[in-house]
Amino acid sequence: MLLDRITLYHINMELVSPFVTSMGAETNIEHIIIKVDGEGISGWGECVASANPFYTYETVQTAWHILSDFLIPEIIGKNFNTVDKAISSWQKVRGHNMAKAGLEAALWDLFAKSKSIALSKMLGGVKEKIDVGVSIGIQFSINELIKKVEAYLEEGYKRIKIKIQPGNDIQPIKALRKEFPNILLQVDANSAYTLNDVNIFKAMDEFNLLLIEQPLGYEDIYEHSKLQREIKTPICLDESIRSLDDTRAAIELESCKIINIKPGRVGGFTEAKLIHDYCASKNIPVWHGGMLESGIGRAGNVALASLSNFTLPGDISASKRYFKNDIVQPEFFVNKDGTMDVPSKPGIGVEVNRKMLKLITVREEEFSS
Ligand code: OSB
Ligand code: MG
């Protein structure tokens, strides 16, 4: 496969409602869409670095720099037989996982399309439908939160995740449990607490939560092992897991009982698969996280989540939960039974709406050999 042209699109899409977390409020998402052209086929990927460095250190600007100055020059105008060979060209680039993952995703789509197979199949997926949940930001009031949860359950979502932060934790959890005694419920702190808050997490044990996501430091593994010893509810790491090495450390130290996999955070589908397989061998369940992706990134997430050890519902929701209009056709929707169909057409299995892409693009750059 000769890679003859690569195009970057800095996109800005408005969310249907602000997404509030312990990291702040987001009303828009800014990501980079990446198109790789080879042999008359276009492969698409999405880099999930955001406008600000609040979730990880990467931003749209750092990713644009790493992509255009280091990753793209390594592969443009060259011939590769496999995705593996292509990504090994940038092995010496340290970190910048989201930049790498976006470009790798476009290569997977391109190679899958050139072989006329679905991305899900090429990644080793085994499911035709995946279980999905929804991640709900911090709300103005508990009443509003309850109304939102009710509406999402009505749509079919199998699991509810709420964002928490100090001062906004036990109360909403308690209220939701009272209202919905039997739903699958989990919480995400995005690193907003310290070990001094151990009593808050002990208090959560009574509410039968599926898991507590990333309570402590965003790079911490050690202190999470101390917290996990103090509480019954499984800890799930998100931010702290950036590689297979981190995963091994976290599992060996018993810092968590569950892992959230996001291809962007770990540097691509290849590393994500290694983590998935390692967790399976250790009987650690995984689930697919989300980064408020457009339909392009979402398509890749759905394909990856079709692997066998993604046994808990993912943060992979319908297009309309995020955007008025998505940039792919068909858009993603949730079935009444809380599942989402895994596309079966070649590659990501959905078409990019090029008119829509143009409308949301704020900067575009093309690289060719
Ligand atoms: O911590 O899982 C997170 C969105 C942006 C950054 C971090 C996180 C999230 C979400 C949203 O929780 C998940 C989704 O895409 O629906
Ligand atoms: Mg999270």
Side-chain angles (χ1 to χ4, degrees):
M1 173 66 66
L2 177 66
L3 308 177
D4 39 39
R5 189 172 41 165
I6 298 180
T7 315
L8 302 182
Y9 308 85
H10 175 170
I11 60 163
N12 188 339
M13 286 174 93
E14 200 182 330
L15 292 166
V16 289
S17 59
F19 191 63
V20 182
T21 72
S22 62
M23 305 174 289
E26 305 288 346
T27 56
N28 289 69
I29 61 128
E30 291 184 53
H31 285 168
I32 303 171
I33 298 301
I34 301 163
K35 176 164 71 75
V36 179
D37 288 300
E39 296 175 6
I41 307 168
S42 295
W44 296 89
E46 179 166 345
C47 167
V48 298
S50 18
N52 54 56
F54 302 157
Y55 170 76
T56 67
Y57 66 85
E58 290 185 87
T59 66
V60 171
Q61 297 299 328
T62 69
W64 194 282
H65 162 54
I66 295 297
L67 281 159
S68 56
D69 294 331
F70 297 100
L71 308 182
I72 292 171
E74 290 291 342
I75 60 170
I76 193 80
K78 295 186 187 156
N79 226 315
F80 296 98
N81 294 327
T82 62
V83 174
D84 249 24
K85 288 252 168 59
I87 66 170
S88 69
S89 346
W90 60 67
Q91 220 161 29
K92 65 180 177 231
V93 177
R94 293 182 181 176
H96 300 283
N97 284 352
M98 291 175 174
K100 290 170 179 169
L103 187 53
E104 184 182 328
L107 291 168
W108 278 96
D109 182 35
L110 177 65
F111 278 82
K113 282 173 176 160
S114 79
K115 292 179 165 59
S116 290
I117 63 168
L119 178 58
S120 152
K121 289 275 158 341
M122 191 151 147
L123 290 170
V126 293
K127 296 181 238 178
E128 282 169 18
K129 289 171 190 298
I130 56 164
D131 292 336
V132 295
V134 63
S135 170
I136 304 176
I138 294 164
Q139 302 296 308
F140 284 118
S141 70
I142 292 203
N143 260 345
E144 249 168 276
L145 175 63
I146 290 173
K147 270 195 274 172
K148 276 222 153 163
V149 170
E150 208 153 35
Y152 285 129
L153 291 172
E154 184 63 31
E155 286 181 50
Y157 288 103
K158 289 208 169 171
R159 175 276 275 156
I160 300 293
K161 155 171 151 184
I162 62 164
K163 295 287 187 177
I164 56 168
Q165 66 182 5
N168 211 326
D169 39 42
I170 299 293
Q171 264 201 329
I173 295 170
K174 194 172 187 171
L176 282 184
R177 249 318 162 229
K178 188 158 169 245
E179 199 71 24
F180 311 101
N182 300 316
I183 58 166
L184 298 182
L185 180 64
Q186 65 191 54
V187 298
D188 187 357
N190 289 110
S191 295
Y193 297 85
T194 71
L195 268 183
N196 294 330
D197 300 312
V198 61
N199 287 331
I200 296 175
F201 296 106
K202 279 187 175 165
M204 286 182 199
D205 272 342
E206 96 179 69
F207 300 107
N208 190 27
L209 299 176
L210 208 50
L211 58 88
I212 299 169
E213 190 177 341
Q214 197 71 33
L216 308 180
Y218 61 91
E219 292 183 327
D220 172 76
I221 290 178
Y222 175 58
E223 290 196 336
H224 280 98
S225 77
K226 290 188 157 182
L227 179 60
Q228 183 67 91
R229 261 180 265 146
E230 299 289 322
I231 62 174
K232 292 197 211 80
T233 309
I235 291 177
C236 167
L237 291 179
D238 173 356
E239 281 90 332
S240 294
I241 304 293
R242 296 150 304 181
S243 61
L244 177 60
D245 285 346
D246 288 340
T247 309
R248 273 200 208 105
I251 293 174
E252 294 265 317
L253 279 169
E254 297 179 32
S255 304
C256 63
K257 297 178 179 165
I258 297 171
I259 299 253
N260 162 323
I261 295 182
K262 295 177 182 174
R265 199 192 63 230
V266 304
F269 292 137
T270 302
E271 190 77 8
K273 269 162 55 69
L274 294 175
I275 294 171
H276 165 274
D277 295 351
Y278 177 76
C279 287
S281 78
K282 296 286 177 188
N283 285 316
I284 297 286
V286 304
W287 57 282
H288 204 298
M291 290 296 293
L292 310 174
E293 287 90 345
S294 82
I296 293 174
R298 190 164 311 283
N301 293 354
V302 173
L304 183 65
S306 74
L307 272 70
S308 62
N309 194 37
F310 282 90
T311 50
L312 296 170
D315 276 351
I316 303 181
S317 310
S319 297
K320 70 167 192 191
R321 178 256 172 272
Y322 308 93
F323 314 108
K324 192 152 166 269
N325 298 295
D326 206 338
I327 57 173
V328 298
Q329 275 298 329
E331 295 197 347
F332 286 91
F333 62 89
V334 175
N335 300 312
K336 271 274 165 252
D337 66 353
T339 62
M340 189 178 278
D341 299 343
V342 178
S344 56
K345 295 197 176 130
I348 58 172
V350 289
E351 291 296 323
V352 176
N353 180 338
R354 305 291 279 266
K355 261 196 203 136
M356 175 78 187
L357 176 61
K358 247 204 159 65
L359 281 175
I360 58 169
T361 295
V362 298
R363 179 186 178 192
E364 177 177 339
E365 193 171 344
E366 194 177 292
F367 304 80
S368 50
S369 40

